[in-house]
Amino acid sequence: LRTPKDPALLRGLAAAELACGEVQGAIQAGERALAAAPGDLASIDSLGRILLEAGDATGAWAVYARGVAAMPG
């Protein structure tokens, strides 16, 4: 079995995990999406939202700060 590395696919997996109540699985998939494409704003937003829903505001802010740093200009 191969591990997917497509950030869009991993974001979809994260959303599915979250919809099923599998918060840890959603976080792991979100982290993998971000690792696959570190500057991808969609992956940053997705993981930040998952962390907020999980109650980890500090982690979410850290992820969002990466997004701000990745923005041009």
Side-chain angles (χ1 to χ4, degrees), residues 1-5 9-10 13 17 32:
L1 181 64
R2 292 177 44 187
T3 302
K5 294 187 174 135
L9 179 65
L10 290 165
L13 175 60
E17 292 274 12
R32 287 175 40 211

Side-chain angles (χ1 to χ4, degrees), residues 11 30 34 38-52 60 63-64 66-67:
R11 287 192 310 274
L34 194 51
D40 181 47
L41 296 179
S43 295
I44 289 166
D45 181 54
S46 175
L47 180 56
R49 289 174 186 264
I50 292 166
L51 290 169
L52 280 175
V63 169
Y64 287 135
R66 283 179 68 175

